[in-house]
């Protein structure tokens, strides 16, 4: 028994004389790009410091490994200061801190950092004890841009058929991916996951006449439920839900509404409108490490109710002190302003007719979504024989005199409405072409004179001009 006890005693003696070292790096929250960061490495020891080395660990994407880049070194060999601790054999703990300052961090500073510390063993100056700690620096980037666009735009207006309408919120340049919410008139919009959509209105096998009657009944139903208040519409039934809340509360959709159409009898159950849906945002990683997020909101458009409605896309991100948002106001085109260039067209000119703008409501700054423009000539095809032309501008090349007085119609439409504007083209005679025509006629007449008369005129000219 003496052997093992003696061995344990010797090991405990060695342990007591050996120095110890603990290293830790203070944790850091995510830092915003452009900020200045200080990494702090704390270590505690009873020995003498040998060196401190900081590394940045770079990921090798192609090879699947990593490499270390030395960013700071402190060598105590050249800054040695001996104390009497070893002579007095007193064990005393010393606490040190090493800091590395990273000014204006960028995306490339994101990653793993290591602090390596070495001390001399108390029992031998030739032996070094090493310890290390690491921390992951997370650099976050606020969104660069945010915009709201309409999917499938431009699109025509339908007066008799209800159609779904989709808004897309595009957020670029963020890291990590932001949280996106849609609002209408400043209030969060209720959304339902796409997989949980209820069946649409009635049986799809009905005739068009029956469909029109159903739509008419649906409009009356919406009038009683929605049109009495601007705050109740197809996008404002309840407050928006997070993805987890959507799954938890989906089963209760419509149960708390005292005016739920399903509770109003068989007709009400058939006429229940489709709920608003929001597709799970699509996230695409950019080459610089940031994200592009596309979130979509779809609902059954009601032109009477949704015209002049303000929709906004609100973005929350940890790098933002307050949410970012982009706004659009749905507006039907009305009062197009047409222009003709040149203002006084003559025969043979190239005439351009274009839409310069619209009469806008008090809350709209532009017609949104983008209108679809169609040009026609009243009573006749266009100059090139086509029945119509699509685009904001109509170009008529080398207009003939026969086009004088022609009436042209420009139809501007988007899913919220349609409007027609007419413009009459006045084509004036071209004085240059008229003068050239008269000159050509005079030459023809000259060629038709008697040959003897022409010879006499030529001889007379030669005689008059001869100086001798």
């Amino acid at each position: 028994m003496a052997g093992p006890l003696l061995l344990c005693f010797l090991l405990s003696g060695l342990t007591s004389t050996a120095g110890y070292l603990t290293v830790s790096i203070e944790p850091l929250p995510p830092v915003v790009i452009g900020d200045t960061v200080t990494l702090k490495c704390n270590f505690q020891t009873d020995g003498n410091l040998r060196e401190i080395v900081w590394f940045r660990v770079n990921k090798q994407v192609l090879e699947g490994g990593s490499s270390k880049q030395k960013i700071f070194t402190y060598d105590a060999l050249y800054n040695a200061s001996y104390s009497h601790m070893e002579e007095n054999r007193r064990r005393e703990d010393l606490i040190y801190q090493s800091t590395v300052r990273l000014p204006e961090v960028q995306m490339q500073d994101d990653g793993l950092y290591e602090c390596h510390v070495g001390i001399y063993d108390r029992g031998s100056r030739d032996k070094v004890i090493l310890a290390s700690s690491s921390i992951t620096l997370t650099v976050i980037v606020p969104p660069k841009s945010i915009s709201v666009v309409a999917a499938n735009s431009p699109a025509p207006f339908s007066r008799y058929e209800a159609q779904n309408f989709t808004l897309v919120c595009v957020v670029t340049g963020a890291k990590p991916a932001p949280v996106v919410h849609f609002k209408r008139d400043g209030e969060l919009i209720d959304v339902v996951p796409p997989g949980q959509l209820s069946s649409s209105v009635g049986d799809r096998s009905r005739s068009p006449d029956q469909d029109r009657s159903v739509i008419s009944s649906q409009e009356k139903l919406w009038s009683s439920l929605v049109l009495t208040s601007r705050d109740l519409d197809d996008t404002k039934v309840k407050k928006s839900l997070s993805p987890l809340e959507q799954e938890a509360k989906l089963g209760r959709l419509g149960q708390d509404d005292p005016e739920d159409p399903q509770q109003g009898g068989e007709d009400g159950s058939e006429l229940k409108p489709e709920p608003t849906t929001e597709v799970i945002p699509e996230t695409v990683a950019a080459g610089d490490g940031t994200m592009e997020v596309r979130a979509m909101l779809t609902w059954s458009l009601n032109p009477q109710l949704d015209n002049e409605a303000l929709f906004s896309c609100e973005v929350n991100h940890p790098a933002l002190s307050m949410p970012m948002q982009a706004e659009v106001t749905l507006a039907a085109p009305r009062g197009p302003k047409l222009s003709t260039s040149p203002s006084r067209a003559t025969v043979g000119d190239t005439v351009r007719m274009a839409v310069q703008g619209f009469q806008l409501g008090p809350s709209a700054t532009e017609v949104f979504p983008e209108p679809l423009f169609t040009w026609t000539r009243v009573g006749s095809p266009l100059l090139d024989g086509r029945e119509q032309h699509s685009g904001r501008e109509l170009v008529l090349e080398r207009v003939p005199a026969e086009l004088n007085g022609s009436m042209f119609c420009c139809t501007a439409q988007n899913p919220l409405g349609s409007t027609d504007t007419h413009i009459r083209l006045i084509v004036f005679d071209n004085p240059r072409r008229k003068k050239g025509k008269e000159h050509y006629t005079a030459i023809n007449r000259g060629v038709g004179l008697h040959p003897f008369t022409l010879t006499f005129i030529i001889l007379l000219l030669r005689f008059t001009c001869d100086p001798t």
Side-chain angles (χ1 to χ4, degrees):
M1 296 295 293
L5 290 175
L6 179 60
L7 179 61
C8 292
F9 175 77
L10 293 176
L11 290 176
S12 63
L14 291 175
T15 305
S16 62
T17 58
Y20 82 97
L21 174 64
T22 59
V23 180
S24 64
I25 300 181
E26 294 186 7
L28 273 177
V31 296
V32 181
I33 187 171
D35 288 354
T36 297
V37 178
T38 301
L39 303 178
K40 298 179 180 180
C41 177
N42 299 320
F43 55 96
Q44 186 171 345
T45 181
D46 63 346
N48 293 325
L49 179 63
R50 172 63 181 87
E51 65 176 358
I52 305 172
V53 182
W54 282 87
F55 293 96
R56 176 191 288 129
V57 181
N58 300 317
K59 295 181 180 179
Q60 302 292 334
V61 178
L62 297 179
E63 300 176 0
S66 61
S67 63
K68 293 183 180 181
Q69 176 187 2
K70 189 179 296 185
I71 60 175
F72 175 80
T73 300
Y74 171 76
D75 193 337
L77 187 61
Y78 302 99
N79 297 277
S81 58
Y82 298 97
S83 66
H84 297 285
M85 287 190 301
E86 294 185 3
E87 296 178 2
N88 298 331
R89 297 294 180 184
R90 293 188 304 131
R91 186 182 181 93
E92 182 177 349
D93 293 341
L94 299 179
I95 299 176
Y96 301 88
Q97 184 181 75
S98 174
T99 60
V100 171
R101 185 171 177 268
L102 305 176
E104 297 182 358
V105 294
Q106 300 299 315
M107 286 291 295
Q108 57 267 25
D109 296 322
D110 185 281
L112 184 67
Y113 289 80
E114 295 180 353
C115 175
H116 293 248
V117 179
I119 64 168
Y120 289 112
D121 188 7
R122 291 175 57 88
S124 172
R125 292 285 297 179
D126 297 331
K127 184 179 179 181
V128 177
I129 299 176
L130 299 176
S132 65
S133 180
S134 62
I135 185 175
T136 299
L137 178 64
T138 302
V139 180
I140 58 177
V141 184
K144 248 180 218 180
S145 66
I146 173 175
S147 60
V148 179
V149 297
N152 302 324
S153 181
F157 170 71
S158 178
R159 191 180 304 274
Y160 303 105
E161 181 180 358
Q163 54 183 326
N164 285 340
F165 184 72
T166 300
L167 287 176
V168 183
C169 179
V170 183
V171 185
T172 63
K175 178 183 176 289
V179 178
V180 181
H181 297 288
F182 284 97
K183 289 186 175 182
R184 172 169 178 156
D185 297 331
E187 296 184 9
L188 291 174
I189 297 173
D190 176 51
V191 293
V192 177
Q196 306 291 341
L197 293 181
S198 61
S199 61
S200 57
V201 180
D203 185 8
R204 298 294 185 183
S205 63
R206 286 179 294 200
S207 64
D209 293 337
Q210 290 175 329
D211 287 337
R212 290 193 188 96
S213 64
V214 169
I215 293 174
S216 177
S217 302
Q218 182 183 3
E219 291 176 351
K220 293 179 181 178
L221 177 65
W222 271 110
S223 298
S224 62
L225 295 180
V226 177
L227 297 181
T228 54
S229 173
R230 178 76 180 190
D231 294 332
L232 295 177
D233 52 55
D234 198 20
T235 59
K236 285 173 132 184
V237 181
K238 294 180 177 65
K239 292 184 178 180
S240 293
L241 306 177
S242 66
L244 295 178
E245 291 173 333
Q246 291 173 4
E247 297 180 1
K249 298 184 179 181
L250 182 61
R252 303 204 303 267
L253 181 63
Q255 296 179 1
D256 299 332
D257 190 353
E259 298 187 15
D260 188 356
Q262 290 186 345
Q263 301 178 8
E266 297 180 357
D267 294 339
S269 63
E270 292 183 356
L271 302 179
K272 182 180 178 180
E274 295 183 1
T276 304
T277 64
E278 186 176 28
V279 178
I280 296 176
E282 175 187 359
T283 303
V284 180
D288 59 355
T290 60
M291 305 289 177
E292 178 180 299
V293 175
R294 291 176 175 265
M296 292 187 291
L297 178 74
T298 300
W299 76 96
S300 182
L301 189 69
N302 187 330
Q304 293 182 348
L305 183 66
D306 292 329
N307 192 28
E308 301 293 333
L310 174 65
F311 284 84
S312 59
C313 170
E314 185 175 280
V315 175
N316 291 277
H317 193 271
L320 297 173
S321 58
M322 59 186 303
M324 287 177 62
Q325 70 174 12
E327 297 179 346
V328 293
T329 300
L330 303 189
R334 63 176 183 177
K337 302 174 184 178
L338 304 182
S339 65
T340 303
S341 176
S343 57
R344 181 183 174 90
T346 59
V347 176
D349 288 347
T350 296
V351 177
R352 299 178 183 272
M353 298 180 180
V355 180
Q356 296 297 320
F358 297 90
Q359 295 178 6
L360 301 174
S363 59
T365 58
E366 62 177 346
V367 175
F368 182 88
E370 179 186 358
L372 178 67
F373 299 99
T374 305
W375 294 84
T376 56
R377 181 183 175 190
V378 179
S380 302
L382 297 175
L383 188 58
D384 56 4
R386 293 179 299 166
E387 292 296 327
Q388 64 181 23
H389 169 75
S390 299
R392 181 180 287 266
E393 184 181 69
L394 174 65
V395 179
L396 305 173
E397 296 183 355
R398 296 185 295 275
V399 294
E402 293 77 12
L403 217 59
N404 181 37
S406 297
M407 185 75 72
F408 291 86
C409 175
C410 176
T411 301
Q413 57 179 326
N414 67 5
L416 294 163
S418 177
T419 182
D420 293 336
T421 303
H422 293 79
I423 184 172
R424 186 180 296 277
L425 177 63
I426 305 299
V427 182
F428 295 91
D429 290 333
N430 192 330
R432 295 180 180 178
R433 287 180 174 267
K434 188 174 181 181
K435 182 178 180 181
K437 185 176 180 181
E438 292 176 352
H439 179 67
Y440 179 75
T441 303
I443 292 177
N444 287 341
R445 288 179 180 176
V447 172
L449 293 176
H450 194 276
F452 175 77
T453 306
L454 288 175
T455 303
F456 175 76
I457 293 175
I458 293 173
L459 292 174
L460 181 61
L461 290 174
R462 287 182 178 178
F463 176 78
T464 306
C465 296
D466 192 353
T468 57

